[in-house]
């Protein structure tokens, strides 16, 4: 099973009062101005123990290498990164009609975590699972874990 996270205002917060994780590889962290939201390290460990592969799906132009290294500073190994370039190539392609900003199901992702309500609306329209979390939500990681467990239950009932 796969779970993906958006970056901006989901895992990389811009609010001045945001609380961040402490990097596990301190020296390497000096090379990154961006920091990850508090709670992501423990959450990823729990999700992996449930059988989830951790992915990032972002509309940003950050390189795949940059994103993998950023998460690596926190001890998080990503199984896949979908950035704007990859999304355009595999989702939009040569279609004339504008496709949604994210379509996690195209990449075998079972649950996507985002802050943008339009992604949730696209999920309802195009048939993929999205959990919306606020950058201000202190209980965000519990909500993600609960939703991941719900997805596991749904999948087990479908077998």
């Amino acid at each position: 099973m796969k779970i993906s996270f958006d970056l901006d205002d989901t895992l990389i917060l811009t609010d001045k009062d945001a609380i961040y994780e402490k990097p596990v590889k301190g020296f390497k962290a000096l090379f990154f101005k961006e920091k990850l939201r508090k709670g992501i390290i423990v959450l990823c460990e729990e999700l992996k123990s449930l059988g989830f592969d951790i992915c990032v799906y972002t509309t940003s132009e950050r390189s795949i290498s940059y994103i993998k290294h950023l998460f690596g500073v926190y001890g998080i190994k990503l199984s896949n990164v979908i950035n704007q370039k990859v999304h355009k190539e595999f989702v939009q392609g040569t279609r004339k009609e504008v496709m949604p900003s994210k379509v996690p199901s195209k990449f075998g992702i079972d649950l996507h975590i985002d802050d943008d309500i339009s992604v949730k609306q696209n999920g309802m329209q195009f048939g993929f699972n999205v959990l919306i979390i606020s950058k201000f939500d202190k209980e965000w990681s519990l909500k993600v874990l609960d939703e991941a467990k719900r997805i596991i239950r749904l999948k087990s009932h479908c077998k």
Side-chain angles (χ1 to χ4, degrees), residues 7 58 60-69 81 83:
L7 291 181
T58 179
S60 84
E61 296 288 340
R62 294 175 186 91
S63 73
I64 292 170
S65 175
Y66 172 85
I67 295 168
K68 284 186 174 185
H69 283 95
V81 175
N83 62 5

Side-chain angles (χ1 to χ4, degrees), residues 73-139:
V73 167
Y74 295 91
I76 300 169
K77 183 170 175 28
L78 298 174
S79 69
N80 196 8
V81 175
I82 300 105
N83 62 5
Q84 184 65 12
K85 181 180 177 187
V86 173
H87 171 82
K88 280 183 177 177
E89 183 178 331
F90 288 98
V91 176
Q92 188 63 48
T94 58
R95 290 180 180 87
K96 299 228 186 293
E97 75 276 9
V98 176
M99 294 297 290
S101 64
K102 293 176 181 139
V103 185
S105 55
K106 287 267 189 198
F107 299 94
I109 295 169
D110 301 288
L111 175 61
H112 177 69
I113 312 303
D114 211 297
D115 67 303
D116 185 348
I117 193 68
S118 71
V119 177
K120 177 76 169 178
Q121 293 162 342
N122 287 332
M124 291 186 291
Q125 182 181 355
F126 290 91
F128 55 86
N129 295 307
V130 178
L131 175 67
I132 299 299
I133 59 168
S134 165
K135 64 182 179 178
F136 304 111
D137 190 345
K138 304 287 188 225
E139 302 294 317

Side-chain angles (χ1 to χ4, degrees), residues 22-87:
K22 192 171 199 130
V24 296
K25 298 178 182 174
F27 177 73
K28 287 185 178 181
L30 297 173
F31 298 102
F32 296 93
K33 64 177 176 151
E34 296 176 308
K35 297 177 176 129
L36 296 182
R37 184 179 193 161
K38 181 77 172 162
I40 190 61
I41 294 173
V42 170
L43 176 60
C44 285
E45 289 169 359
E46 291 180 44
L47 290 168
K48 283 186 178 199
S49 75
L50 291 172
F52 281 92
D53 290 331
I54 311 300
C55 307
V56 165
Y57 196 153
T58 179
T59 56
S60 84
E61 296 288 340
R62 294 175 186 91
S63 73
I64 292 170
S65 175
Y66 172 85
I67 295 168
K68 284 186 174 185
H69 283 95
L70 172 64
F71 277 75
V73 167
Y74 295 91
I76 300 169
K77 183 170 175 28
L78 298 174
S79 69
N80 196 8
V81 175
I82 300 105
N83 62 5
Q84 184 65 12
K85 181 180 177 187
V86 173
H87 171 82

